[in-house]
């Protein structure tokens, strides 16, 4: 199964992706996590991406497309994957479509978590507080100024993907304001259809 989760920062993509990993036994491919790992390891991509990520804007398409192209070739992704945070622009969606088509594959579903923007700041602040409670570092972009920029980037560059995937017939929407368990059940029901 090849699934993509779509939604703004704080919509619950990471939470739902973790649950889908458990149910379906396929990996979560989070470009945000991959980029944060590159920043931590100070790889050339990480060094280039750090300031861009901290400012809440998008890393160039060719960089993330290259990361995903390599990642989907790995053995654990052969049976499927859950894309979390990729694609984020129409150019990335087109590149993904080409990558999969070259293997005779396509996404089985694009699941959009629909949430009220007014809830997102509180959710991102909760995520930061939970990281502190676990003794983990807080994401450097989980603060009000960077979140504002991330939302701007989402509206301008990522939200058009709803229409893109609606036109291909792959889009499914779920009410992301429901409690986590109910969002998971709604996704499970969609995937069973
Ligand atoms: P995320 O963890 O998905 O919220 O991503 C954190 C940051 O990583 C974003 O604000 C971007 O700067 C960068 N990023 C993650 N995924 C992408 C992507 N598909 N395209 C461009 N930038 C990305």
């Amino acid at each position: 199964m090849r699934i993509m989760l779509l939604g703004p920062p704080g919509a619950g993509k990471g939470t739902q992706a973790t649950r889908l990993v458990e149910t379906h036994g396929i990996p979560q491919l989070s470009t945000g996590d991959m980029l944060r790992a590159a920043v931590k390891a100070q790889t050339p991509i990480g060094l280039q991406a750090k300031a861009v990520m901290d400012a809440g804007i998008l890393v160039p398409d060719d960089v993330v497309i290259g990361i995903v192209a390599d990642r989907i070739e790995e053995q654990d992704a052969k049976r499927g994957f859950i894309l979390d945070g990729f694609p984020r622009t129409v150019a990335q969606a087109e590149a993904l479509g080409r990558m999969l088509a070259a293997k005779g594959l396509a996404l089985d579903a694009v699941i959009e978590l629909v949430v009220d923007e007014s809830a997102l700041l509180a959710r991102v602040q909760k995520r930061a507080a939970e990281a502190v409670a676990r003794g983990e570092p807080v994401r450097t972009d989980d603060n009000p100024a960077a979140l504002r920029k991330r939302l701007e980037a989402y509206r301008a560059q990522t939200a058009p993907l709803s229409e893109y995937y609606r036109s291909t017939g792959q889009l499914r929407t779920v009410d992301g304001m429901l409690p986590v368990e109910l969002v998971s059940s709604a996704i499970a029901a969609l995937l069973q259809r």
Side-chain angles (χ1 to χ4, degrees):
M1 180 128 45
R2 287 164 199 84
I3 308 164
M4 180 223 166
L5 295 173
L6 177 64
K13 300 186 297 297
T15 304
Q16 295 303 327
T18 308
R19 289 169 161 241
L20 287 164
V21 166
E22 280 167 24
T23 339
H24 296 278
I26 50 178
Q28 168 189 9
L29 308 193
S30 157
T31 41
D33 285 349
M34 294 179 221
L35 288 165
R36 279 185 287 279
V39 170
K40 198 165 170 211
Q42 299 191 318
T43 67
I45 285 181
L47 293 172
Q48 188 193 337
K50 182 172 178 6
V52 174
M53 292 171 75
D54 285 350
I57 53 182
L58 295 186
V59 170
D61 285 336
D62 56 338
V63 174
V64 277
I65 290 167
I67 292 177
V68 172
D70 290 344
R71 184 64 185 86
I72 63 173
E73 290 303 328
E74 286 178 35
Q75 194 55 36
D76 65 336
K78 297 271 189 248
R79 282 182 45 242
F81 45 74
I82 299 138
L83 286 171
D84 161 12
F86 179 91
R88 247 181 168 95
T89 64
V90 171
Q92 291 178 19
E94 288 171 345
L96 174 68
R98 284 193 297 272
M99 268 181 235
L100 294 177
K103 300 171 188 290
L105 302 171
L107 289 177
D108 295 294
V110 172
I111 298 169
E112 180 177 6
L113 301 176
V114 181
V115 286
D116 294 343
E117 262 195 24
S118 57
L120 297 177
L121 179 60
R123 284 187 178 199
V124 165
Q125 281 172 333
K126 184 163 169 266
R127 171 159 74 195
E130 285 167 355
V132 172
R134 287 194 302 268
E136 290 170 10
V138 173
R139 278 177 53 164
T140 45
D141 59 353
D142 268 354
N143 60 70
L147 179 67
R148 241 189 323 275
K149 290 306 252 183
R150 287 158 65 201
L151 279 175
E152 273 173 31
Y154 186 81
R155 279 187 222 111
Q157 292 166 276
T158 310
L161 291 183
S162 288
E163 214 31 66
Y164 178 87
Y165 284 117
R166 187 171 289 124
S167 72
T168 63
Q170 288 159 296
L171 187 75
R172 309 281 178 270
T173 56
V174 167
D175 179 358
M177 296 305 289
L178 294 171
V180 173
E181 290 297 337
L182 295 182
V183 176
S184 300
S185 316
I187 293 175
L190 281 179
L191 294 177
Q192 258 167 18
R193 271 202 228 142

